[in-house]
Amino acid sequence: MRKDQTMSVVFDGSVPKATASSHSHTLHTSLSTQELSHEIKSFISGVDSVQGRKLSVREHARCAVRLLRSVPACRAAVLEHLRGVYDEHVSVFLHNLETEGEAASGASANLEDIIQEVHGVLSEFIRLNPRAWAPLVSSWAVDLLGQLSSKHAGRRCTPHSSSLNELLQLWMSCAATRALMEAYSQCLAAMLSWCPDACVDALLDTSVQHSPHFDWVVAHIGSAFPGTIISRVLACGLKDFCSHGAKDQGFVVMGMDKGAKVPKIGSVVGILGHLAVHHSDSIRKELLRMFQESLTPSNQLSPNLSSTSWETSPQLRRAAVPFLLQLAAMSPDLFGAVSSELVELLRPPVLLQLHSLLQGLPREELDNMLGLAVHLISQSPTGGARTLRFLADTATPASVIISGPATSSHEGVREGCDRLLQMLLLHLHKLVYNRSDGVEGKPHNSVLSQPQRMIPFLEELQTHVGELCAETLRLERKRHLWLHQLLCLLSMYGGPSVATEAICQLLTQAQNPEELALAWQLHSTLSLCMVGLIPAAVTRTVAQIHTNTLSPLQLRQLLLNLAAAIRSQEEERRGTVRPLYSMAVQLGSAVSGHLHDFGPLLLHGDSAVSHAAVQLLSCSPLPHACSPGHLLLLSRAAVTYFFLALRKRQEGRRAGRDLGQEREAVNSSVLLLSRFAGYSPLTLKSILQQLVEGALHKGNADLFGGQATDITDVPPPSSSTLSDLGASLLSINCQFGTTANFSGSVWSVFHAGVIGKGLKANSPAKVLDPCAASQNIKTFIAVLVQCCSSTGLNGTFSGSRPPSDCSEFPTINAEAAKVVAVTMVENVCPDVSNSELSWPPEEHARTTVERDIHIRRCFEAHPVLFPMLQVVAAGRPALCYCSAVLRGLLATLLAHWEASRDPSSTDSPWHLQASSILVSCMGEGQLIPPVLANVHEAFPHIAPFEVRLLLLAVWEYVRGNGPMPQKFTFSSEKGGMFCRDFSRDGDVARYVAPIHSVLHKNIDRLGHLCWRFQL
């Protein structure tokens, strides 16, 4: 009767239902009291009480099953006995796998039907009365699974615990473990509605005891019940964490002793880690939900929460944040799952709630939490830039205007983030400087060659160096100090490549000297342990220029910053900074090695970039050695930029704009050309040639008040003029300008017009600004004079501004003046050879009349030729090489004055000016003696035929005393110039007679000039 009452208590009065089993293989009838007594005795002794023999494993198991069906009160003893049955079956199963079934015994191998029968009975009990059986069976099944997994983990056929898929496949193919897994899953499904914690607690306890061999069970159960397992595992872990207390267990971080006794939180980490492979999104949502629920006030919680839920316990809600921190510290996967969205959650209301929650914590526990948070940030592989921006924005004082979204204005929150940021910088400093395993006492620079420990936070920030530099350059109070310190640590951690990139970014983004100083500070810190940063930074900038990765605005700012840095070395030389460690000196040396890379920027399409490039090149030191190809490239770019600067100044004058920047560009280009010209004879010759050719180019003629004419002097005919011409006549006329001219031959033709159409039409002259043309000519002559007079390797000269009076030339180098002379002759009259120095009789000029007219037209079209002639005359004896040009121009002037019927020479202003300048230049160049050189002073006061007489006297003297450079001797007493001794040329009196005749005839007008013509 007592036994029936016990059964009724267990089955809630439904004993027949318990005894019925749909999974039984045979029908079982109710046992009598005597039969039950025999079964119990046989089960306890292991001997058949009727026959007196020992029971086999199968028979003993059958007896246990019958007792489990008939006497549920014996369930504890029966389940304990069945552990051995299941273990026997697993052993046989694994043995068969190892021996491939050769040594299997029939008695012990055929236990699968017993396993199925036991599983059927337990399944039926759980279905009929889950509240009584589910907690018991779940604990028994999960514990037995843990024991079996650990016991047989070392078997030869058992995969390693890290091979989770293979391990799961092995155990699920075994009937015993598969039945246990199904029983536990049934219990868990039955307990979800009323008591899931007991089932999950058993899973956690077993996982702590048998991990990692038990991980396959966790993986399978978690995959079957992901939502339930994740939430309940977190809840159970939180309760265990709170019950033990952070004070007792301490905060466990990665890298600490793994053998330390850790409560269920270690198992929680393991379970969630396995589930994160396929259910990371669910884990992320649950972790964030726990964080949000822990900060929600009690009066705002959902009324549907059960009384056993952790949200209803104030103690558990206070422990949730430390618990989540502990989980994140023990599992990088869990931290990575929530770190991407955690920063987005930390809005001002959440920050205030978190601050109020942490205020109640003891100081020691709060310090531990902050240290753990710092450790987590430093070990975060993703989201580091977003986390850093959040901390910097939140910690920035309220008086500082930040560009990002507004953060909390609560002073306590700001101070907390400030403290956290300071601790993070200190922690990173320790990690960076202590990351090497090198032997103590080695030099510091050898640390970089030692094996390095990875810092995930800094690893991720290496891809955000540009953004970090931009934030640092904002120069906000305290903020830029934090970021600059972090930039130093990041450069130290990343090595020379990151340090070089940081310096390049600062040089590119700095907008003023204060921001540029941050680059100097960074370099001064990094130069203590890294060498060659500045050359590497310049090389990197050059690579960016070649790959066109910088925008025009960035490129301009980079060039300006480089120029400002190089100019600062003059101040540093006057200070106490040693040049060896001066960034400006190193930068100037590095830039000088890449001048050929910066040179093409003078011709950049953006005028701001080209202007910045000329500033850089004009202040950069020149290299001690450079290839000829690079020198020619630089000189060509510099000359081209000079003419572009003149044109922009002229256009600005026309538009009425402020010419400050244009004047600065012209002055910088003059300085640059002067320095290049003084670098080597090659650059001097190249620059002078290109200057002369550029000034005479038809595209630049209007800059100097000239007309754009072709070398053939034949302007393009209009369409109306050629409307009815035949193709043959047009081609013949066009061929005259392209074929070689043989003076005096049948091909010497005047291009005065087209037969039958009259004279050719004059091309309309452009309206020129005389002031602009005069200023451009002065600037051009100034740069020509400075290039011809530059000396020294770097072109040292007195002042970089052009002189106001072009007639007061400094000492002109004779070789430089010769280059100008030869280039000018080649461009004005290409068919003249340098051997044509002697002058023929005046009558012979008719044989070269076409060439002479061409020379005169060039001088008419290019007013800059006369000042260039004056420069050549100052560099004696260079004017001798212009003999053919002088002869041709003088011949046309003689022809004009002979044919002129004007009463006064002033009626032909251009010819009067040309005659005066020509004679003056010949006198300056000492092609004629002073008494003949002064005749130009009388030209404005006499008649045209008298001008011809005086010019003819000049012609006769030069013809009789040829302009040979051999007649000049070097004189150190006269300023190191070449001079000519006219006393060796014979009597000059016979050439002066026409002059005296003109003076006597015009004594009333020329009396004051008589003394100028005394021998």
Side-chain angles (χ1 to χ4, degrees), residues 550-587:
L550 297 177
S551 65
L553 185 61
Q554 292 175 324
L555 183 56
R556 169 187 173 273
Q557 194 61 49
L558 171 64
L559 297 176
L560 291 178
N561 288 335
L562 291 176
I566 293 175
R567 291 194 191 101
S568 66
Q569 63 179 310
E570 295 296 332
E571 301 177 2
E572 294 185 356
R573 286 173 182 171
R574 295 191 293 268
T576 58
V577 181
R578 290 191 300 171
L580 180 61
Y581 297 103
S582 170
M583 181 177 178
V585 174
Q586 297 182 44
L587 191 61

Side-chain angles (χ1 to χ4, degrees), residues 716-724:
S718 62
S719 58
S720 61
T721 305
L722 300 177
S723 59
D724 58 347

Side-chain angles (χ1 to χ4, degrees), residues 72-279:
C74 302
R75 59 186 181 275
V78 172
L79 292 178
E80 184 67 27
H81 173 75
L82 290 177
R83 288 176 180 266
V85 177
Y86 278 77
D87 182 46
E88 179 68 19
H89 181 270
V90 170
S91 299
V92 172
F93 172 78
L94 295 178
H95 181 73
N96 290 339
L97 290 179
E98 293 171 350
T99 61
E100 298 181 358
E102 296 177 359
S105 61
S108 59
N110 193 18
L111 293 176
E112 187 170 350
D113 57 338
I114 301 297
I115 300 297
Q116 293 296 331
E117 188 175 354
V118 172
H119 176 65
V121 173
L122 293 179
S123 178
E124 185 70 13
F125 286 169
I126 296 170
R127 185 180 64 82
L128 295 176
N129 193 356
R131 290 184 177 272
W133 284 93
L136 175 65
V137 175
S138 65
S139 300
W140 171 77
V142 75
D143 184 60
L144 182 54
L145 282 171
Q147 290 182 1
L148 294 175
S149 300
S150 297
K151 178 179 179 181
H152 300 285
R155 298 289 290 266
R156 180 163 53 89
C157 62
T158 305
H160 191 268
S161 59
S162 60
S163 303
L164 196 61
N165 292 329
E166 298 179 8
L167 199 62
L168 182 61
Q169 185 177 1
L170 171 70
W171 290 121
M172 292 303 292
S173 62
C174 177
T177 52
R178 183 174 64 251
L180 291 174
M181 185 70 75
E182 293 174 359
Y184 179 79
S185 299
Q186 185 180 4
C187 294
L188 181 59
M191 298 171 63
L192 285 179
S193 59
W194 50 275
C195 185
D197 289 352
C199 198
V200 176
D201 277 340
L203 185 67
L204 292 177
D205 292 336
T206 308
S207 179
V208 171
Q209 185 177 0
H210 298 287
S211 182
H213 311 297
F214 188 71
D215 293 346
W216 69 274
V217 178
V218 177
H220 183 76
I221 296 298
S223 299
F225 306 93
T228 302
I229 289 296
I230 293 172
S231 59
R232 300 319 305 172
V233 163
L234 285 175
C236 293
L238 175 60
K239 293 177 182 178
D240 183 76
F241 179 85
C242 187
S243 63
H244 285 80
K247 184 185 302 184
D248 297 334
Q249 71 182 36
F251 287 100
V252 182
V253 295
M254 290 176 288
M256 293 184 63
D257 184 13
K258 300 296 183 181
K261 180 176 177 58
V262 180
K264 295 179 182 179
I265 190 171
S267 181
V268 171
V269 170
I271 293 173
L272 296 181
H274 290 303
L275 296 179
V277 178
H278 300 290
H279 305 282

